[in-house]
Amino acid sequence: PAADDFPGTTGSGVKYDGNTVPLQLYKDAARGEYTMNDYSRMWGTSKNLISTWDARGVDVSEASGQWPAGIKEFGSPTPAFGKDATEAGAVDAHWAAGKVYDYYKKVHGRDSLDGRGGTINSLVGVTFYGMPYVNAFWDGTKMVYGSGDAEYRTLSADLDVVGHEMTHGVVENSANLVYAGQSGALNEGIADYFGNAIDTDAAGMAMDDPDSGLLGENLCRTKAPRECALRDLNDGHTTSKNFLGAGFGTDNGGVHLNSTIFSGALWDIREDLGRTLADKIVYKALTAYMTPLDGFTDGRNAVLAAAKDLGVTAKQLNTVKRSFTAHGIVPGWENALGVDSDQLFGKLNTAGTGVGAGGGWWTAAKSNDDGSEPYSIYAGRTDGTGHPKLISPNDGRFHVNPATDGKTVVWAAYGKTDVDIVSRPLAGGPIKKLYTSTGGDVSGMRVEGGVVTFESIDLSGGRHVGYLKSGDREPTWVDGGTSKISTALPSIHGGKIAYAKLYPQGGTYKLGTEVLDLKTGKATLMGQLGEPQGIGQTGINGSGVYWLVDEVITDQGQMAVRRANHDGTGAADLSKETGADALFPLDLTVSEEAVTVNTELPDPEYHNESLPKLWQFSLDGKAKNRVSCNRGEQIAPAAADGKQVVWIDGTTGYTDLVTRSRPAGLCG
């Protein structure tokens, strides 16, 4: 096209750092404004735009995965954008998007994020239910930047963050690394690498500058750069010391928590081999050798293959190897983590759903590689023989919270407006709809010999335990369904249901644990050792009732592990609420031989030591051991036969269903 066909113009704006920068704009006659539409960069190819949109006041839910109604590109009556556009983060976002486009075009010959001259849209200023939103993300089609708050500017105010989010678009349109576990950490690590590379070069910063590895260090209004930074590629993290074994429900399996292990190795390569060569190697690895489910070792191999492809010297290749080795990224590094459990089912990629076990079988929910598909229910043998089999239908509903007694599997199936409790025989047969709830949530399913018990949470937050006997069309509520009493956290054994209970007494409300005998209809409150302020999960077996209890309101969340006889007598603690050995429990499960408690430490920072772990007690409390010495996250335990426990484990960064038949010891 002729030069006079070009519809753009050059204006200016002031970034957050006070520097005036050129902006590529469009003079929109219909609006009577200059708008943040950059025609210049793709005019010679696709003629697509780089556009920056005013999304101030738009909720993040309306901007993620969809296009919010009524938004317009940022505009100004003159080509010199004023303070409002600066404070909104629009100037930084528009300028930075052009810089990132230029980097990929000039250094790697890539035309836009998709490599085909695709439109680049940035939405700036979104909020979270009207409150400040301090985050930014690539949603698969566009960048979305939060409003910021009193301390953090909008996240478009740092070039490395913009480069990071736009690189997610490059990753998605090349290797498409799955955003979960190790592949998700690679995805984040590569986005960090290129975002920081673009920012460091634009700032003229030396690679050996201590601050060269900081990401997002310029976002704060008052904090110093190092205190403000979101991550540091020079943090020295390694697989052996710093890999966090998080399950899918925690940061998608540690995609941010573990990213600097890989990006740190890449950053070392850039410092040792030089900017240009390192960038070309990493880009070649991403676009030619990486595949969606690659882990850290695969990433290492991809980078080495790319380096060889680009004709590096033997010395340079050794430098690349050394960088990965220094960060513990070597073949078989996961084996050095000391995993002591046996895998029953790999890569569940689910969150917010439990595990069931009984009668020699386990049952769990599973999704696809990135956890985006509706969850399905599977079941298998706890001894690991045979193959897991699909139990639930592929009907688009989310199937969660399964339980089994070795004969039947029951679970909750969530639709758009209701939730069904359904069952299916393990031996095969039709799926039966036992009950449909249209007014609230359903959880805590347990099954024994044709009796299903569960907890329902109504729209007002009231909790009620119900049960269904074979042939029942409606549940029977153990509390009578009255709003004056709440019951929760059920367990079942031998025709008896145990549950927590909140009930009125003497002009106030009391908490306790109750057992309902389904044969006689008699309900018995368990004896207490103090005045409960909170009751946790219950469990019941042939010899007694077990539950978690909080009686000290001034502590940090410790709870006692308590037992009593079925008739309520003999209340005693297996683990006390006070003292150095007190636990911070999340869950409890019992068999005929042991009580297993899921517990964590109250630590605001993520450490393997503070991630949830499993402790097992003998029924009299005299023996106490860790179920597993795996260093990562251990959640959703389900007692099988004897001392065997099945649980979801995140030690290797993947959300696996695993088991042990006996406790591992004290793990000191």
Side-chain angles (χ1 to χ4, degrees):
D4 56 1
D5 291 338
F6 177 64
T9 186
T10 301
S12 65
V14 180
K15 293 166 59 209
Y16 258 107
D17 63 12
N19 291 320
T20 300
V21 293
L23 301 174
Q24 295 302 314
L25 309 172
Y26 171 65
K27 187 175 182 179
D28 189 325
R31 286 177 55 177
E33 289 184 315
Y34 292 86
T35 59
M36 286 189 178
N37 287 305
D38 178 356
Y39 280 90
S40 67
R41 287 179 164 88
M42 287 181 273
W43 185 250
T45 56
S46 63
K47 290 187 171 61
N48 281 327
L49 303 177
I50 299 176
S51 300
T52 304
W53 299 79
D54 188 351
R56 288 177 290 184
V58 173
D59 190 78
V60 63
S61 63
E62 299 172 356
S64 179
Q66 57 186 319
W67 193 266
I71 64 171
K72 296 180 179 180
E73 303 94 332
F74 278 93
S76 169
T78 72
F81 275 74
K83 184 177 180 181
D84 181 61
T86 299
E87 285 295 322
V91 173
D92 280 274
H94 198 61
W95 172 82
K99 284 291 184 183
V100 176
Y101 174 91
D102 290 346
Y103 167 81
Y104 279 107
K105 188 71 164 66
K106 293 174 181 177
V107 177
H108 304 296
R110 186 183 189 89
D111 189 13
S112 193
L113 308 184
D114 62 0
R116 300 183 299 275
T119 298
I120 297 174
N121 287 312
S122 302
L123 273 59
V124 180
V126 301
T127 55
F128 182 71
Y129 294 106
M131 302 294 289
Y133 183 61
V134 184
N135 208 341
F137 58 90
W138 160 261
D139 78 343
T141 61
K142 61 185 179 293
M143 280 71 65
V144 180
Y145 300 100
S147 60
D149 61 11
E151 177 59 61
Y152 283 90
R153 301 161 176 164
T154 175
L155 267 68
S156 63
D158 207 340
L159 177 57
D160 51 14
V161 175
V162 174
H164 172 101
E165 301 305 342
M166 291 178 67
T167 298
H168 277 309
V170 175
V171 172
E172 183 170 319
N173 286 283
S174 52
N176 195 24
L177 290 161
V178 168
Y179 203 67
Q182 289 186 37
S183 58
L186 258 66
N187 194 324
E188 279 293 322
I190 289 168
D192 277 355
Y193 173 85
F194 282 115
N196 248 28
I198 295 166
D199 188 31
T200 297
D201 293 355
M205 182 181 289
M207 282 297 297
D208 60 0
D209 188 306
D211 288 346
S212 72
L214 298 180
L215 180 80
E217 72 277 10
N218 297 319
L219 291 175
C220 288
R221 302 178 190 273
T222 63
K223 293 180 181 178
R226 184 159 291 277
E227 185 184 4
C228 180
L230 306 174
R231 283 184 290 284
D232 181 5
L233 277 61
N234 285 321
D235 61 13
H237 281 190
T238 68
T239 57
S240 60
K241 293 182 179 178
N242 307 104
F243 187 85
L244 282 161
F248 185 78
T250 302
D251 187 34
N252 275 53
V255 298
H256 296 94
L257 298 172
N258 293 316
S259 64
T260 58
I261 296 173
F262 194 79
S263 62
L266 299 182
W267 204 244
D268 288 350
I269 294 169
R270 195 174 203 256
E271 185 170 344
D272 292 338
L273 294 188
R275 305 165 193 259
T276 302
L277 178 57
D279 288 6
K280 288 186 177 298
I281 290 172
V282 178
Y283 182 79
K284 184 79 171 180
L286 173 66
T287 56
Y289 291 102
M290 289 186 182
T291 58
L293 292 175
D294 281 356
F296 282 1
T297 304
D298 302 309
R300 170 193 168 114
N301 293 338
V303 173
L304 287 170
K308 293 176 184 177
D309 198 2
L310 292 172
V312 302
T313 66
K315 182 179 179 181
Q316 289 170 327
L317 190 64
N318 282 333
T319 296
V320 175
K321 292 179 181 177
R322 183 189 67 209
S323 297
F324 283 113
T325 301
H327 287 267
I329 302 173
V330 295
W333 66 267
E334 294 97 336
N335 294 331
L337 297 178
V339 175
D340 64 13
S341 53
D342 297 322
Q343 186 182 106
L344 294 171
F345 206 26
K347 297 183 180 179
L348 301 182
N349 298 329
T350 54
T353 174
V355 173
W361 287 79
W362 60 261
T363 180
K366 190 180 193 303
S367 184
N368 62 336
D369 291 324
D370 64 0
S372 60
E373 286 184 356
Y375 298 176
S376 299
I377 300 299
Y378 285 78
R381 296 187 180 277
T382 54
D383 63 6
T385 60
H387 297 285
K389 58 183 182 179
L390 179 65
I391 301 295
S392 61
N394 184 15
D395 58 2
R397 295 164 76 88
F398 274 81
H399 301 274
V400 296
N401 298 326
T404 185
D405 59 357
K407 296 180 180 179
T408 304
V409 178
V410 298
W411 69 93
Y414 278 80
K416 292 183 178 180
T417 59
D418 58 17
V419 55
D420 294 332
I421 296 178
V422 290
S423 72
R424 190 175 192 180
L426 275 166
I431 295 171
K432 293 183 180 179
K433 185 189 296 184
L434 305 180
Y435 171 64
T436 298
S437 172
T438 58
D441 200 5
V442 169
S443 62
M445 260 69 64
R446 302 289 190 272
V447 60
E448 182 193 54
V451 179
V452 177
T453 185
F454 62 95
E455 176 183 335
S456 178
I457 304 176
D458 61 37
L459 295 177
S460 62
R463 303 169 68 174
H464 305 282
V465 169
Y467 63 90
L468 291 155
K469 293 183 177 180
S470 182
D472 286 354
R473 293 191 175 186
E474 290 291 327
T476 301
W477 304 103
V478 301
D479 50 26
T482 173
S483 60
K484 294 181 179 180
I485 301 174
S486 285
T487 50
L489 306 167
S491 54
I492 185 171
H493 179 83
K496 297 180 174 68
I497 299 175
Y499 46 88
K501 181 178 182 180
L502 175 70
Y503 56 97
Q505 186 182 84
T508 185
Y509 274 85
K510 299 282 187 178
L511 275 169
T513 301
E514 190 168 73
V515 173
L516 174 66
D517 188 324
L518 297 181
K519 185 177 181 179
T520 65
K522 181 181 178 182
T524 304
L525 274 169
M526 300 295 100
Q528 295 286 3
L529 303 179
E531 188 65 38
Q533 305 298 311
I535 300 287
Q537 181 62 49
T538 69
I540 184 171
N541 63 13
S543 60
V545 183
Y546 304 83
W547 67 96
L548 305 173
V549 59
D550 181 6
E551 294 175 338
V552 183
I553 61 175
T554 57
D555 61 20
Q556 294 179 282
Q558 295 95 323
M559 299 182 82
V561 182
R562 188 162 293 171
R563 75 162 304 281
N565 300 321
H566 290 156
D567 63 3
T569 64
D573 286 341
L574 307 186
S575 173
K576 295 187 179 299
E577 184 178 352
T578 57
D581 294 332
L583 301 179
F584 298 80
L586 306 169
D587 201 357
L588 175 147
T589 181
V590 303
S591 70
E592 289 302 309
E593 294 185 24
V595 179
T596 300
V597 178
N598 195 199
T599 183
E600 63 180 351
L601 293 176
D603 193 333
E605 299 292 331
Y606 283 106
H607 304 287
N608 280 308
E609 296 78 10
S610 62
L611 292 173
K613 299 292 189 293
L614 302 179
W615 285 91
Q616 189 172 95
F617 296 86
S618 58
L619 297 184
D620 59 9
K622 292 181 179 180
K624 174 187 175 185
N625 290 286
R626 285 271 299 277
V627 172
S628 163
C629 295
N630 288 356
R631 71 182 202 171
E633 186 175 59
Q634 304 165 17
I635 59 172
D641 296 324
K643 297 179 180 178
Q644 185 180 11
V645 181
V646 177
W647 73 94
I648 296 174
D649 194 282
T651 297
T652 64
Y654 298 116
T655 313
D656 297 328
L657 185 72
V658 303
T659 189
R660 275 187 64 93
S661 59
R662 60 174 180 80
L666 297 179
C667 304

